[in-house]
Amino acid sequence: MRLLICYASTEGQTRRICRFCAEQVVARGDSVEMLPVGEAGEIDLAPFDAAILAGSIHVGKLQGGLADFAATHAGALNRMPTLFLVVSLAIAGGDPGDRAELDRIAADFADKAGWTPGQVAHVAGAFRFTEYNFFEALAMRWIAHRKGQDVDPHEDTEFTDWAALAEVIREWPGE
Ligand SMILES: Cc1cc2nc3c(=O)[nH]c(=O)nc-3n(C[C@H](O)[C@H](O)[C@H](O)COP(=O)(O)O)c2cc1C
C-alpha cells in the first residue's frame, strides 16, 4: 500500500507525529510519502491508496494551508481511506467541553473543504517554549496556569501519547 502523509506544523510537533506515523507504516511494509503542505504543490493523489492529513490548532483553528490542500483535493480524498490527525493541547486535559470544541473545529474544517475524513483522531501536542516568541510564551504560560498544568517555561513539554498513536495507525486503514 502506498500512503501519503500531508501535514502542517507550526512549531514542529505535528511533524514529529507524522514522522512517527511514517515509521509505523514503513515498519509494516507499506510505502509512504511525507510532505509538508507547503511543498505539496500540484501533487496528483491518484498513485496513493490512502492518505493522512495532519495539522495543529492555534487559537481555535487549523492551518490555512492544510485547509486549502483539503479543499483542492477533496474529490480524490473522498475516494480513498483517509485519517485526519488533529493536534492540540486541549485534548491532553481530558475535559469533555474541550473535546466537543475540538470535534467542532475538526468538523468545520472538513465541511468547509468538502472532505469527509474516514477517521478523525485527536492527538495531544506539546508546549514548545524553545520555539515561542515572547508573546506566545506568555500566552502559553497563562493557558497552562489556567488548566492547572505544571510546565517549566524554559523547557519543552510533550503530551503526545505515542503508544495510543501507534494503536490508531496499527488499526488504520483497516480492511
Ligand atoms: C500561539 C499558540 C496558540 C495555540 N492555540 C491553541 C488552541 O487554541 N487550542 C489548543 O488546544 N492548543 C493550542 N495551542 C497548542 C498547539 O496546538 C500545540 O502546541 C501543538 O503541539 C502545536 O503543534 P505544531 O508544533 O505542529 O504546530 C496553541 C499553541 C500556540 C503556540
Side-chain angles (χ1 to χ4, degrees):
M1 181 173 270
R2 189 170 173 203
L3 300 173
L4 173 70
I5 301 179
C6 183
Y7 70 92
S9 183
T10 307
E11 287 95 34
Q13 189 66 12
T14 307
R15 181 171 57 244
R16 280 181 181 220
I17 285 165
C18 289
R19 193 171 300 141
F20 177 83
C21 294
E23 286 165 6
Q24 302 293 305
V25 298
V26 167
R28 74 184 183 205
D30 291 334
S31 78
V32 64
E33 180 160 349
M34 189 176 138
L35 208 58
V37 74
E39 291 172 21
E42 300 293 302
I43 189 169
D44 178 12
L45 300 200
F48 296 99
D49 301 304
I52 296 175
L53 263 61
S56 55
I57 295 184
H58 290 78
V59 199
K61 285 175 78 171
L62 286 137
Q63 288 90 349
L66 194 70
D68 293 343
F69 179 88
T72 302
H73 296 284
L77 291 169
N78 286 335
R79 286 192 293 275
M80 63 173 76
T82 55
L83 170 63
F84 186 18
L85 297 179
V86 182
V87 178
S88 71
L89 277 175
I91 197 67
D95 180 292
D98 285 347
R99 171 61 199 247
E101 177 63 9
L102 293 170
D103 283 340
R104 188 195 60 73
I105 292 168
D108 279 1
F109 176 98
D111 276 359
K112 281 196 185 114
W115 168 45
T116 307
Q119 189 179 334
V120 178
H122 291 283
V123 182
F127 283 108
R128 289 254 167 259
F129 283 99
T130 55
E131 302 285 333
Y132 300 153
N133 64 33
F134 175 80
F135 296 104
E136 288 168 344
L138 209 62
M140 298 310 283
R141 284 179 72 170
W142 181 73
I143 288 169
H145 174 74
R146 221 173 40 132
K147 292 280 177 191
Q149 282 162 330
D150 195 16
V151 294
D152 180 343
H154 305 291
E155 276 188 5
D156 295 342
T157 306
E158 193 174 75
F159 292 90
T160 310
D161 182 340
W162 300 106
L165 182 59
E167 190 61 20
V168 168
I169 296 301
R170 199 176 66 77
E171 302 277 324
W172 181 84
E175 292 308 310

